Amino acid sequence: MGSRAHCIKGEQLTERIGRTPLLRLARVPAQLGVGTEVQILAKAEWFNPGGSVKDRAALRIVEDARRDGRLRPGMTLLDATSGNTGIAYAMIGAAWGFPVTLVVPASIGEERRRILLAYGANLIFSDPYEGTDGAIRLARELAAREPDRYFYADQYSNPSNWLAHYDTTGVEILEQTGGEVTHLVAGLGTTGTMMGTGRRLKDANPDVVLIGVQPDDAFHGLEGLKHLPTAMLPAIYDPSLVDRMELVNTDEAFAMARQLAREEGLFVGPSAAAAIVAAIRVARELSSGCVVTILPDGGVKYLSTQLWQ
Ligand code: PMP
């Protein structure tokens, strides 16, 4: 008696990353003219404990770096991030006991800033006019100056980013669709989601069509779509993998976010809404098919933005 063996072991927070639901859109596609033989299925990534798809990449980046000695005890994880990756690093750092320093454009949304501080991350603000590229440049400089202090995670160039999706997101989609997926629609930021998930789906079936989503008003975009583009092409990006590109503007994405909340019960962020806009465009052209899209995060972090004013 009193033996700990009798006690249920419980789970580690990070074990809850991945295995997100694949939801079937019930109403909006039909309203917008998608045929009954075409399904739109959405990977609900806000079910991850850090609230976004970026938990997957951050976890794999940290695991791989710890395994091969790039992230050693006493070191600080450093990266440039517009939010979700930072939240994921900060959560994992707090759970596993290593410090996290993030370079973020000073224009970062209020919710994101407060969430990062709540997890105990150290924030360094870069010039808001230089956007993501400015944050990347500053992170690189800091890492080069103090290589023994920092593990520079470099999500834009780190293969662990796309490998996370090759080994989890892609496999899950194949399982959840019974291999029936015909199209994948995903937003492009670091491009890790598309590179990893897309490669896994094409390995299983070369006929799967990969559709990348980008905002068409990148440099005027409001908070939420801004983190999709960067002027610097990510090193992990292979443009030859993507079959088609869809541009979605802020107004279309915001309108879809509102429609999804009211008519599907899906309260998502603007990049998720943009992905659905693109998925519906693709689906309307088909007579039959299984269009899978990734919804990177939920809507709560965007409550104070123009989207919900
Ligand atoms: N949408 C949101 C809300 C994101 O945070 C990100 C990644 N920062 C993306 C889309 C793009 O994902 P990826 O970096 O894997 O291309």
Side-chain angles (χ1 to χ4, degrees):
M1 282 304 162
S3 158
R4 303 200 116 211
H6 292 290
C7 184
I8 294 165
K9 281 219 304 265
E11 282 179 82
Q12 231 191 331
L13 180 67
T14 46
E15 291 176 64
R16 279 284 155 159
I17 295 173
R19 298 184 304 281
T20 54
L22 186 67
L23 305 175
R24 190 171 59 242
L25 262 64
R27 289 146 50 98
V28 170
Q31 287 165 9
L32 296 177
V34 174
T36 48
E37 298 302 307
V38 187
Q39 279 203 341
I40 297 185
L41 302 175
K43 200 84 171 118
E45 290 297 306
W46 65 89
F47 278 81
N48 286 300
S52 87
V53 68
K54 301 306 299 206
D55 282 9
R56 297 178 187 264
L59 177 65
R60 180 65 180 264
I61 285 171
V62 169
E63 280 177 342
D64 288 354
R66 295 223 295 192
R67 187 174 313 115
D68 64 21
R70 282 170 295 144
L71 175 56
R72 298 179 294 280
M75 288 177 84
T76 296
L77 182 151
L78 171 74
D79 210 349
T81 157
S82 57
N84 280 331
T85 311
I87 292 170
Y89 289 140
M91 178 188 75
I92 297 166
W96 290 3
F98 61 84
V100 172
T101 294
L102 304 168
V103 183
V104 295
S107 52
I108 183 175
E110 187 62 16
E111 286 94 341
R112 283 157 188 262
R113 197 179 60 82
R114 290 191 194 207
I115 293 167
L116 292 170
L117 293 174
Y119 280 120
N122 172 41
L123 302 186
I124 297 173
F125 295 104
S126 59
D127 184 341
Y129 296 103
E130 293 181 22
T132 308
D133 294 347
I136 295 171
R137 260 196 309 276
L138 182 53
R140 262 190 211 149
E141 275 169 35
L142 294 169
R145 227 178 283 158
E146 293 184 87
D148 295 329
R149 174 175 177 197
Y150 290 124
F151 158 58
Y152 177 38
D154 197 3
Q155 57 166 335
Y156 290 88
S157 309
N158 192 330
S160 304
N161 177 355
W162 69 263
L163 283 166
H165 297 284
Y166 188 84
D167 288 338
T168 71
T169 323
V171 175
E172 291 167 30
I173 290 170
L174 289 170
E175 282 172 6
Q176 288 168 313
T177 62
E180 300 280 297
V181 49
T182 59
H183 296 72
L184 173 73
V185 180
L188 302 177
T190 66
T191 75
T193 304
M194 178 57 97
M195 292 298 109
T197 312
R199 280 195 182 107
R200 174 63 79 171
L201 298 188
K202 288 247 194 205
D203 283 355
N205 173 8
D207 294 333
V208 171
V209 182
L210 305 182
I211 300 113
V213 184
Q214 287 195 292
D216 74 354
D217 44 8
F219 298 101
H220 315 289
L222 296 165
E223 171 66 30
L225 281 181
K226 260 187 322 213
H227 50 273
L228 283 175
T230 130
M232 278 185 216
L233 270 191
I236 60 172
Y237 183 49
D238 173 4
S240 71
L241 193 72
V242 181
D243 297 295
R244 169 172 168 182
M245 208 61 94
E246 283 296 321
L247 301 179
V248 177
N249 69 42
T250 303
D251 291 342
E252 289 174 289
F254 281 15
M256 180 57 75
R258 297 181 188 114
Q259 194 174 354
L260 288 169
R262 286 163 172 259
E263 287 164 52
E264 295 278 357
L266 296 178
F267 184 43
V268 300
S271 78
I276 295 285
V277 170
I280 288 176
R281 278 188 209 156
V282 169
R284 284 172 60 146
E285 297 168 9
L286 304 173
S287 52
S288 70
C290 174
V291 179
V292 171
T293 185
I294 312 283
L295 307 184
D297 65 1
V300 178
K301 287 191 300 281
Y302 306 91
L303 276 175
S304 74
T305 70
Q306 309 247 357
L307 171 48
W308 297 107
Q309 299 310 304

